[in-house]
Amino acid sequence: MNCCLLLPFMFGIPLIRPCFTATEISTTDEVKHLVGSHFRVKRGWMWNQFFVPEEMNKTNYHIGQLRSDLDNGNNSFQYKLLGAGAGSIFVIDERTGDIYAVQKLDREERSLYTLRAQVIDGTTGRAVEPESEFVIRVSDINDNEPKFLDEPYEAIVPEMSPEGTLVIQVTANDADDPSSGNNARLLYSLLQGQPYFSIEPTTGVIRISSKMDRELQDEYWVIIQAKDMIGLPGALSGTTSVLIKLSDVNDNKPIFKERLYRLTVSESAPAGTSIGKIMAYDNDIGENAEMDYSIEDDSQTFDIITNNETQEGIVILKKKVDFEHQNQYRVRANVKNRHVDEKLMEYHVEASTTFIRVQVEDEDEPPVFLLPYYLFEIFEESPHGSFVGMVSAIDPDQRKSPIRYSMTRSKVFSIDDNGTIITTNPLDREISAWYNLSIIATEKYNVQQISAVPVYVLVLNVNDHAPEFSEYYDTYVCENAGSGQVIQTISAVDRDESIEDHHFYFNLPVEDTKNSSFIIIDNEDNTAVILTNRTGFSLEEEPVFYISVLIADNGIPSLTSTNTLTIHICDCDDYGSTHTCRNKDLTLAMGFRTEVILAILISIMIICGFVFLILGLKQRRKQTLFPEKGEDFRENIFRYDDEGGGEEDTEAFDIAELRSSTIMRERKTRKTATAEIRSLYRQSLQVGPDSAIFRKFILEKLEEANTDPCAPPFDSLQTYAFEGTGSLAGSLSSLGSAVSDQDENYDYLNELGPRFKRLACMFGSAIRSNN
């Protein structure tokens, strides 16, 4: 039933007291608890708070009752509800003042509503009391499950991490009121991920609970559950998943999977050749898998380098191998990681090793000389065929092919099949003191296999050159020179090589020592001085003296030469200087040289002019003989200018060649050769066309015959294959002609001289009369 508490007037203002149903509030203490500090007087109303559970599914849920103290129960008062939600969410019974919730409320959307209440007298329509505010609070229920807002979660942790290592922290959120009981108090638990991970129930921190090896499994899916109400019955829960990846640490050493590698190398392979690869495997990744290979025992023949991209070990040949010396090698190789943390050294105590067996393949190698070079010595002037030295080469292969020797481009030495070098010409150290030879060795069974070695031949000196003057001496002495006057200092040279320094001795012949006008004094420093041995000389009587000077060297055996010193007598000036004589000779010598140079230049000019003349004549003869080649000429001109062998020569001519044509030539007197040419020219003009081109052709042919320097000195038959433009006289040639010559008159041949006398007799009037 309804239970209302009537309150006395305060300050003369009646109070409205809220009434609650017995099902909501059972005692006065509970009412006081609900009202709390909000139970106070305001404008004659006692305003209060009402609580409504959220998510209440009951329709027209009764919240409470408002009742004025002035209401006497005659049903004349009407209650009005004003404010947000009034009429839509909350309604009031105008007669009784009961308040109802007509919609389901959600605290997470709105937790408090502020309303106003008013009492109106129904008969008068006037407000009985002023408006009064009250609050309706939506009380929380556990209707929201926890939610993880930052998912998906992903974490990375190093493998082999110790227990308790922090991995990640997950956080869930509950939309319920945290101040309302345990609705928002969460508790975390692990649904999947044991035994490797654990989670703190209240904080959501995930930690490692046991060591993990990335090489066995590199990632884990962990499922986390969050429950509200601290896990009590009826609690709501939410889940999320965490992907935990293990990062690699260098806890594995590289290991060879092959205990023995077999490789081959040719003995002809040069140093630096790659002969094979070996491979170690490391379960780690990235930088932790980088490795270095090495050869144990510090091998001098092989080495290993690492391919940083493939992590393979490349076996390199450090120096050439020799099949005949050693045909098989066995080496040990090891491998270790390049980057190792000190904390992980326990995993890399002992390096992995393997064996490499290298088989050397035999190749046909060229011959090998016993020495890298040869140095021989031989004295100069040794006779032909003298022994110089001997070279030797062998075939390094097992079959030991015989060797043949040869020498390239040498005119002084030769070599036989045994490698013996001998001389083929005399040696002269002064011409060449050293000879650099190249000896070639060739295998007999394979001539493609050759090798060469340098041979140096030193020609030893033999004292075969006597000393001589170091220069030409131009010596002068004055007519009035006194006895003992130094007129010349001389020195000597020797083309021979001396073990010690050269030392020369100067002297005069025995026959000249007593009667000579000059004496020589050896300075014992490879020089000597010439002195006068008398007083006064005469330019007219003896203008020149020739002194024989003996020069000996210190060779073994010693050689002596006789050198002539020319001394000129000079008419010196008042000061006794010989410069005037020297300058005069120099002037004469220069004049003579100038004349010689001029003569040479003139001779060269003459020779050049003669050469140019000959070239000009040849060029002129090479010019075209038929400049009018394009003209249409149809007649040939033949000139017969052969005198034959004399009066008695009857076989010099073919009579048929001189048979005349049907046209009578004009008879002319031939007095000279020039007149004869002119006569023939005029005759040719009579039988040819009157053309300037034709005349030019005839003149050029005549001029060419007269000026040709290569023409023979006797008469010859010349044919000019030149055709004219047509002629009424027909062909001038009588060759092969059967035309009768009865009407031809050859009496003009009598005028051509004695050389044509026989022709005149043969073809003259007498012949025709006889016929």
Side-chain angles (χ1 to χ4, degrees):
M1 66 177 181
N2 293 334
C3 179
C4 298
L5 179 63
L6 298 177
L7 298 178
F9 285 92
M10 296 183 68
F11 305 103
I13 301 174
L15 297 178
I16 300 177
R17 56 178 176 80
C19 295
F20 302 94
T21 61
T23 57
E24 295 175 348
I25 300 175
S26 59
T27 64
T28 304
D29 293 336
E30 292 178 350
V31 173
K32 292 181 179 179
H33 171 73
L34 293 174
V35 175
S37 61
H38 299 287
F39 191 87
R40 63 189 180 88
V41 178
K42 182 180 180 183
R43 294 183 182 180
W45 287 74
M46 179 65 68
W47 69 274
N48 213 331
Q49 294 186 88
F50 296 96
F51 291 86
V52 181
E54 67 171 334
E55 301 296 337
M56 182 60 67
N57 295 326
K58 184 178 179 180
T59 305
N60 296 327
Y61 177 78
H62 184 260
I63 298 175
Q65 182 183 24
L66 295 178
R67 187 174 181 81
S68 175
D69 291 338
L70 301 179
D71 188 359
N72 54 9
N74 56 5
N75 296 328
S76 62
F77 284 0
Q78 293 182 356
Y79 294 91
K80 301 291 185 181
L81 192 62
L82 303 174
S88 59
I89 300 176
F90 305 101
V91 296
I92 190 170
D93 189 337
E94 293 181 353
R95 184 179 61 84
T96 63
D98 291 319
I99 303 173
Y100 298 94
V102 297
Q103 290 185 8
K104 184 187 295 186
L105 301 180
D106 189 352
R107 189 200 67 83
E108 285 69 40
E109 293 182 1
R110 188 168 182 175
S111 62
L112 184 143
Y113 297 88
T114 302
L115 301 173
R116 301 189 308 276
Q118 189 177 30
V119 180
I120 300 173
D121 189 350
T123 58
T124 62
R126 297 178 62 185
V128 176
E129 296 179 4
E131 292 182 359
S132 179
E133 286 186 348
F134 65 95
V135 174
I136 299 178
R137 293 184 178 275
V138 181
S139 60
D140 183 57
I141 65 172
N142 191 19
D143 60 342
N144 289 281
E145 71 276 3
K147 293 183 179 180
F148 293 90
L149 303 180
D150 298 328
E151 59 182 1
Y153 292 95
E154 184 174 328
I156 299 177
V157 63
E159 63 172 331
M160 308 303 294
S161 296
E163 296 181 9
T165 301
L166 174 65
V167 179
I168 194 174
Q169 182 179 15
V170 296
T171 303
N173 186 34
D174 196 323
D176 293 325
D177 188 2
S179 63
S180 177
N182 297 323
N183 292 342
R185 293 182 63 183
L186 304 181
L187 191 67
Y188 298 94
S189 61
L190 201 65
L191 298 183
Q192 177 180 313
Q194 297 91 350
Y196 303 108
F197 304 96
S198 62
I199 190 169
E200 296 179 358
T202 58
T203 62
V205 174
I206 302 175
R207 297 183 182 276
I208 292 178
S209 57
S210 65
K211 289 186 178 181
M212 292 169 287
D213 190 353
R214 187 201 65 83
E215 287 70 37
L216 297 178
Q217 184 174 346
D218 60 352
E219 63 182 21
Y220 295 83
W221 283 98
V222 178
I223 299 177
I224 307 298
Q225 182 186 62
K227 275 188 176 184
D228 56 13
M229 297 182 65
I230 61 175
L232 296 174
L236 302 178
S237 63
T239 60
T240 188
S241 59
V242 181
L243 176 61
I244 300 177
K245 296 181 178 179
L246 299 182
S247 60
D248 184 59
V249 298
N250 196 357
D251 59 340
N252 292 278
K253 68 179 181 180
I255 298 176
F256 288 106
K257 292 190 175 181
E258 299 289 340
R259 299 184 59 86
L260 176 64
Y261 290 87
R262 291 181 173 84
L263 305 177
T264 59
V265 60
S266 171
E267 64 174 339
S268 62
T273 302
S274 171
I275 64 174
K277 299 178 182 179
I278 62 176
M279 184 69 180
Y281 296 89
D282 193 331
N283 290 327
D284 295 321
I285 60 175
E287 185 182 84
N288 297 325
E290 295 180 1
M291 60 190 74
D292 290 318
Y293 298 87
S294 61
I295 296 290
E296 291 187 358
D297 303 327
D298 193 19
S299 173
Q300 300 296 321
T301 309
F302 304 97
D303 196 6
I304 299 181
I305 61 175
T306 303
N307 186 333
N308 293 325
E309 294 183 358
T310 63
Q311 297 301 311
E312 293 176 320
I314 303 175
V315 183
I316 301 296
L317 184 66
K318 291 177 63 175
K319 69 176 184 179
K320 293 191 66 174
V321 293
D322 188 357
F323 176 83
E324 288 71 29
H325 180 263
Q326 185 175 352
N327 59 13
Q328 187 174 352
Y329 294 84
R330 182 182 175 90
V331 295
R332 182 195 293 264
N334 58 28
V335 62
K336 60 182 180 179
N337 280 130
R338 188 174 300 171
H339 309 285
V340 180
D341 195 319
E342 292 183 359
K343 299 178 181 179
L344 301 172
M345 288 299 297
E346 57 179 317
Y347 300 103
H348 303 268
V349 175
E350 186 176 353
S352 177
T353 61
T354 188
F355 288 97
I356 303 175
R357 179 177 296 171
V358 181
Q359 182 69 40
V360 180
E361 296 179 344
D362 187 22
E363 294 288 340
D364 190 4
E365 300 175 272
V368 177
F369 284 92
L370 301 183
L371 296 177
Y373 68 91
Y374 291 86
L375 175 62
F376 300 128
E377 296 178 351
I378 185 173
F379 284 99
E380 62 176 334
E381 303 298 337
S382 297
H384 174 79
S386 298
F387 175 80
V388 178
M390 186 173 183
V391 298
S392 179
I394 60 173
D395 182 9
D397 299 316
Q398 290 182 342
R399 63 180 179 178
K400 302 299 179 183
S401 172
I403 306 299
R404 294 177 179 176
Y405 301 93
S406 62
M407 186 181 301
T408 59
R409 298 186 300 276
S410 178
K411 298 181 180 179
V412 183
F413 304 95
S414 64
I415 188 171
D416 59 16
D417 289 340
N418 295 326
T420 302
I421 303 174
I422 60 174
T423 61
T424 57
N425 283 300
L427 303 176
D428 189 349
R429 192 203 62 82
E430 286 69 37
I431 296 177
S432 179
W434 283 94
Y435 289 90
N436 298 331
L437 308 178
S438 179
I439 305 300
I440 297 176
T442 306
E443 290 186 10
K444 181 178 179 181
Y445 298 150
N446 185 0
V447 295
Q448 302 297 327
Q449 296 295 340
I450 61 174
S451 60
V453 67
V455 175
Y456 308 102
V457 179
L458 173 62
V459 181
L460 301 178
N461 181 64
V462 173
N463 193 20
D464 57 346
H465 291 86
E468 57 188 11
F469 281 148
S470 61
E471 60 179 292
Y472 173 76
Y473 295 104
D474 198 8
T475 308
Y476 293 87
V477 61
C478 295
E479 288 183 298
N480 55 356
S483 177
Q485 180 178 344
V486 178
I487 62 173
Q488 184 68 56
T489 299
I490 60 176
S491 62
V493 294
D494 194 338
R495 291 189 293 167
D496 288 323
E497 182 183 22
S498 177
I499 299 177
E500 301 176 353
D501 293 337
H502 285 291
H503 187 72
F504 303 112
Y505 305 94
F506 301 87
N507 206 342
L508 295 177
V510 177
E511 60 272 14
D512 295 341
T513 303
K514 299 179 180 180
N515 302 322
S516 176
S517 299
F518 303 91
I519 60 175
I520 187 170
I521 297 178
D522 193 340
N523 294 329
E524 297 184 355
D525 61 353
N526 291 342
T527 63
V529 292
I530 307 298
L531 297 84
T532 58
N533 197 26
R534 71 180 190 184
T535 300
F537 294 90
S538 175
L539 180 61
E540 290 77 9
E541 295 179 359
E542 291 182 286
V544 181
F545 287 86
Y546 299 97
I547 299 177
S548 297
V549 179
L550 301 179
I551 306 177
D553 60 16
N554 61 337
I556 300 174
S558 178
L559 295 181
T560 303
S561 65
T562 301
N563 301 267
T564 301
L565 179 66
T566 303
I567 302 176
H568 299 273
I569 306 301
C570 176
D571 184 9
C572 301
D573 55 16
D574 297 337
Y575 301 99
S577 174
T578 61
H579 289 296
T580 56
C581 298
R582 298 177 186 274
N583 295 337
K584 184 185 299 182
D585 291 344
L586 179 61
T587 302
L588 292 175
M590 290 298 295
F592 174 74
R593 292 175 183 174
T594 304
E595 292 176 357
V596 171
I597 292 174
L598 290 176
I600 293 174
L601 291 176
I602 292 173
S603 300
I604 293 175
M605 293 176 63
I606 293 174
I607 293 173
C608 291
F610 183 71
V611 171
F612 289 148
L613 178 60
I614 293 176
L615 292 177
L617 293 176
K618 289 185 177 181
Q619 185 66 23
R620 186 170 182 179
R621 286 196 307 110
K622 290 180 180 180
Q623 293 177 354
T624 178
L625 301 178
F626 306 106
E628 60 284 81
K629 189 174 182 181
E631 298 292 336
D632 187 13
F633 296 102
R634 301 182 182 277
E635 295 297 331
N636 296 330
I637 304 300
F638 296 91
R639 176 185 173 193
Y640 305 99
D641 193 13
D642 193 343
E643 295 183 357
E647 296 292 339
E648 299 300 325
D649 187 359
T650 60
E651 298 179 358
F653 299 94
D654 186 358
I655 302 302
E657 295 290 339
L658 299 179
R659 296 184 182 275
S660 61
S661 62
T662 56
I663 305 299
M664 177 65 70
R665 290 185 175 86
E666 190 176 318
R667 300 179 61 183
K668 297 291 181 180
T669 302
R670 180 180 178 183
K671 298 180 180 180
T672 63
T674 304
E676 180 183 1
I677 293 173
R678 292 175 179 174
S679 175
L680 292 174
Y681 172 64
R682 287 192 296 270
Q683 295 173 13
S684 299
L685 292 181
Q686 292 178 1
V687 299
D690 188 9
S691 172
I693 296 178
F694 189 81
R695 289 196 300 270
K696 180 179 178 182
F697 172 78
I698 297 299
L699 289 176
E700 286 179 354
K701 296 305 177 182
L702 293 176
E703 183 67 19
E704 180 182 353
N706 290 334
T707 59
D708 187 0
C710 299
F714 49 83
D715 294 340
S716 62
L717 177 63
Q718 299 189 23
T719 301
Y720 302 105
F722 189 92
E723 295 185 358
T725 57
S727 174
L728 296 176
S731 176
L732 298 178
S733 175
S734 61
L735 297 177
S737 176
V739 180
S740 174
D741 55 355
Q742 295 179 359
D743 297 333
E744 186 69 30
N745 187 0
Y746 294 97
D747 291 341
Y748 68 92
L749 295 176
N750 293 319
E751 300 177 0
L752 297 180
R755 291 178 295 176
F756 294 91
K757 182 177 181 181
R758 182 174 296 277
L759 291 176
C761 294
M762 294 173 61
F763 294 94
S765 300
I767 298 300
R768 287 198 307 272
S769 61
N770 292 335
N771 292 337

